[in-house]
């Protein structure tokens, strides 16, 4: 028997085993039954869509199963609502086409739209973003770029055990979705890859991100406008730009950010640690009831920073930020800073930060001259307790 037929037979055998082992009461739909080929070359987009349509219309709980192998798919939207709960189970690997235009023009690669009771489990996805990054670095006319996994208007979602490589832009985007849990994911892109945020959240409530490792070229996690009731724990972040709230205030009418906790996490050689950032122009936005606690910084630039004059491209509005920042707690944050300014609170003159709380902070400067770390305050009001080093400027 040829190697090809052996491979095909093995794939179908695995699909059969998955059917037998599927959770009680669930019906499995393997993409290979609909013509998908795990050879890494054949476009299997249509097969994935057909499998999804069958699984989504199932009265019983359903599993869309991707067996071992490498499956090439173009931009695809998996649309709900589905009739019952549905699992997107990846046992193999999903890859994007080599031509970055194939997914770059759509803004997304794998999108779930209006799907509730969804779980995305296991496996690996690789968007092959290097060509897109190269296009941008050369200043050419490039597509807008694609988010690897996009959740739009989805509720009650679990993403578990997923590995994501080399997204064109954001790896996982959560927008207008509620009750989303991301657990035990691994995200990786080179430190120089532009705008490759690990996980980005906007206009979503009840998001939990835990037990994950994120190495990327932008924010490990970014919480944009309208993010509420977010819990982030046990994250290994770095390289990257840290964990950020914002940027906020780029438009006047935007939702606020509130009730966010980032805890029990480690930052390694990131450009920033924990950061709130807003544009210096009028806005009705806000960020309040934020807690950063039990964090370790390892050779991190700007371990603690509020920057209300955020301007990454040097095209700055030179106004006052209208974003109101209040009730932000930094508790038990320790480690080493690669910048002498270990704490920076650069707040708006028209809307000063207030309710900033510092407790049990110890950040030392990695410096041959053994200079101490410093704190910088501008229009910031708050309080200190316990040992705070560098000496607080609040």
């Amino acid at each position: 028997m040829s190697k090809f037929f052996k491979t095909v037979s093995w794939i179908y055998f695995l699909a059969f085993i998955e059917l037998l082992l599927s959770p009680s009461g669930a019906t499995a739909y393997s993409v290979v039954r609909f013509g998908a080929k795990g050879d890494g070359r054949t476009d299997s987009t249509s097969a994935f869509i057909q499998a999804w349509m069958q699984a989504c219309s199932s009265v019983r709980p359903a599993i869309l199963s991707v067996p071992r192998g490498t499956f090439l798919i173009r931009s695809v939207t998996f649309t709900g609502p589905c009739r019952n709960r549905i699992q997107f189970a990846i046992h193999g690997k999903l890859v994007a086409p080599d031509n970055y235009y194939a997914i770059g023009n759509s803004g997304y690669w794998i999108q779930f739209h209006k799907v509730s009771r969804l779980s995305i489990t296991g496996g690996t996805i690789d968007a092959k973003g290097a060509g897109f990054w190269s296009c941008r670095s050369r200043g050419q006319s490039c597509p807008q770029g694609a988010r690897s996994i996009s959740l739009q208007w989805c509720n009650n979602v679990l993403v578990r055990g997923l590995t994501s490589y080399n997204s064109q832009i954001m790896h996982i985007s959560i927008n207008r979705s509620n009750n989303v849990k991301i657990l035990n994911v691994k995200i990786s892109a080179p430190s120089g890859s532009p705008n490759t945020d690990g996980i980005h959240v906007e206009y979503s409530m009840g998001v939990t991100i835990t037990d994950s490792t994120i190495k990327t070229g932008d924010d490990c996690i970014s919480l944009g406008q309208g993010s509420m009731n977010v819990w982030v724990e046990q994250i290994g972040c770095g390289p990257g730009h840290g964990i950020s709230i914002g940027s906020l205030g780029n438009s006047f009418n935007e939702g606020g950010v509130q009730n966010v906790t980032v805890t029990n996490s480690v930052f390694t050689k990131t450009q920033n640690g924990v950061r709130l950032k807003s544009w210096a122009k009028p806005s009705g936005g806000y960020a309040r009831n934020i807690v950063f606690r039990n964090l370790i910084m390892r050779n991190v630039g700007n371990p603690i920073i509020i920057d209300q004059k955020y301007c990454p491209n040097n095209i700055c509005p030179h106004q006052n930020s209208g974003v109101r920042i209040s009730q932000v707690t930094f508790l038990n944050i320790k480690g080493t800073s690669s910048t002498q300014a270990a704490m920076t609170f650069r707040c708006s003159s028209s809307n000063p930060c207030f309710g900033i709380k510092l407790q049990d902070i110890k950040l030392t400067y990695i410096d041959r001259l053994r200079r101490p770390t410093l704190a910088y305050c501008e229009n910031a009001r708050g309080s200190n307790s316990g040992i705070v080093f560098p000496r607080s400027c609040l």
Side-chain angles (χ1 to χ4, degrees):
M1 184 180 295
S2 70
K3 183 177 181 181
F4 171 79
F5 286 108
K6 285 182 179 179
T7 301
V8 171
S9 299
W10 179 244
I11 289 174
Y12 276 100
F13 174 74
L14 289 175
F16 176 69
I17 293 300
E18 288 161 6
L19 178 62
L20 294 178
L21 296 179
S22 58
S24 177
T27 302
Y29 298 85
S30 174
V31 293
V32 298
R33 288 172 48 200
F34 297 87
K37 292 182 172 59
D39 58 12
R41 301 183 304 274
T42 304
D43 184 351
S44 296
T45 310
S46 177
F48 274 70
I49 293 173
Q50 292 178 55
W52 175 265
M53 291 174 63
Q54 290 290 319
C56 187
S57 62
S58 173
V59 176
R60 301 170 63 187
I63 301 172
L64 185 150
S65 178
V66 183
R68 292 180 183 177
T70 300
F71 296 86
L72 186 149
I73 59 172
R74 294 176 284 106
S75 294
V76 58
T77 297
F78 299 111
T79 304
C82 297
R83 299 183 69 180
N84 209 316
R85 60 182 174 88
I86 187 165
Q87 179 181 359
F88 195 99
I90 307 170
H91 301 285
K93 183 176 184 180
L94 306 183
V95 295
D98 291 330
N99 184 347
Y100 53 84
Y101 276 94
I103 66 171
N105 280 321
S106 66
Y108 61 85
W109 178 26
I110 303 166
Q111 177 170 256
F112 296 88
H113 184 254
K114 292 188 176 179
V115 184
S116 296
R117 296 182 293 173
L118 166 70
S119 58
I120 305 168
T121 58
T124 299
I125 63 172
D126 187 348
K128 299 183 178 179
F132 174 75
W133 310 328
S134 179
C135 176
R136 293 191 57 182
S137 68
R138 295 192 300 268
Q140 296 177 324
S141 177
C142 308
Q144 61 179 314
R147 304 176 295 274
S148 286
I149 295 281
S150 182
L151 302 174
Q152 298 281 339
W153 300 94
C154 295
N155 297 314
N156 303 318
V157 179
L158 170 66
V159 181
R160 182 182 64 200
L162 182 72
T163 298
S164 175
Y165 290 118
N166 302 320
S167 60
Q168 288 190 352
I169 47 175
M170 299 168 185
H171 286 258
I172 299 175
S173 172
I174 303 168
N175 186 38
R176 300 188 184 277
S177 299
N178 297 320
N179 300 323
V180 177
K181 184 170 185 178
I182 299 180
L183 170 66
N184 191 28
V185 302
K186 296 179 181 179
I187 291 174
S188 180
S191 60
S193 56
N195 301 117
T196 52
D197 293 46
I199 301 170
H200 179 73
V201 181
E202 278 195 7
Y203 286 110
S204 297
M205 182 180 296
V207 176
T208 300
I209 306 169
T210 62
D211 299 292
S212 297
T213 301
I214 304 174
K215 303 177 180 181
T216 187
D218 209 299
D219 292 331
C220 293
I221 298 170
S222 56
L223 306 178
Q225 53 185 310
S227 299
M228 298 186 181
N229 303 339
V230 179
W231 185 274
V232 178
E233 184 172 11
Q234 295 286 356
I235 303 298
C237 172
H241 293 184
I243 294 179
S244 293
I245 294 175
S247 60
L248 304 178
N250 199 25
S251 61
F252 185 83
N253 295 313
E254 68 174 31
V257 176
Q258 65 181 13
N259 302 334
V260 173
T261 297
V262 178
T263 185
N264 299 328
S265 297
V266 178
F267 298 73
T268 304
K269 295 183 178 180
T270 50
Q271 287 190 13
N272 305 281
V274 288
R275 175 170 57 155
L276 288 84
K277 52 185 178 180
S278 71
W279 292 86
K281 59 183 185 179
S283 172
Y286 62 86
R288 64 188 179 218
N289 299 331
I290 315 294
V291 177
F292 300 107
R293 71 184 188 202
N294 303 335
L295 305 177
I296 296 174
M297 304 289 170
R298 295 174 176 167
N299 195 15
V300 168
N302 308 304
I304 295 172
I305 179 169
I306 297 177
D307 183 5
Q308 293 206 263
K309 294 180 179 179
Y310 176 70
C311 182
N313 300 317
N314 297 318
I315 304 175
C316 307
H318 297 296
Q319 301 178 65
N320 292 323
S321 176
V323 175
R324 302 180 303 279
I325 295 178
S326 63
Q327 306 306 319
V328 183
T329 298
F330 301 92
L331 168 63
N332 191 30
I333 301 177
K334 299 177 181 179
T336 54
S337 174
S338 63
T339 54
Q340 189 170 16
M343 298 191 298
T344 298
F345 305 101
R346 187 181 295 111
C347 298
S348 169
S349 59
S350 58
N351 291 281
C353 305
F354 66 91
I356 309 300
K357 299 178 182 178
L358 299 176
Q359 180 178 346
D360 299 331
I361 309 294
K362 185 178 181 181
L363 296 166
T364 57
Y365 184 30
I366 297 178
D367 178 47
R368 292 180 180 178
L369 300 179
R370 297 184 179 179
R371 290 174 292 180
T373 47
L374 301 175
Y376 172 79
C377 287
E378 180 181 337
N379 306 310
R381 303 167 185 172
S383 61
N384 318 287
S385 60
I387 297 174
V388 176
F389 185 83
R391 184 177 179 179
S392 174
C393 54
L394 292 173

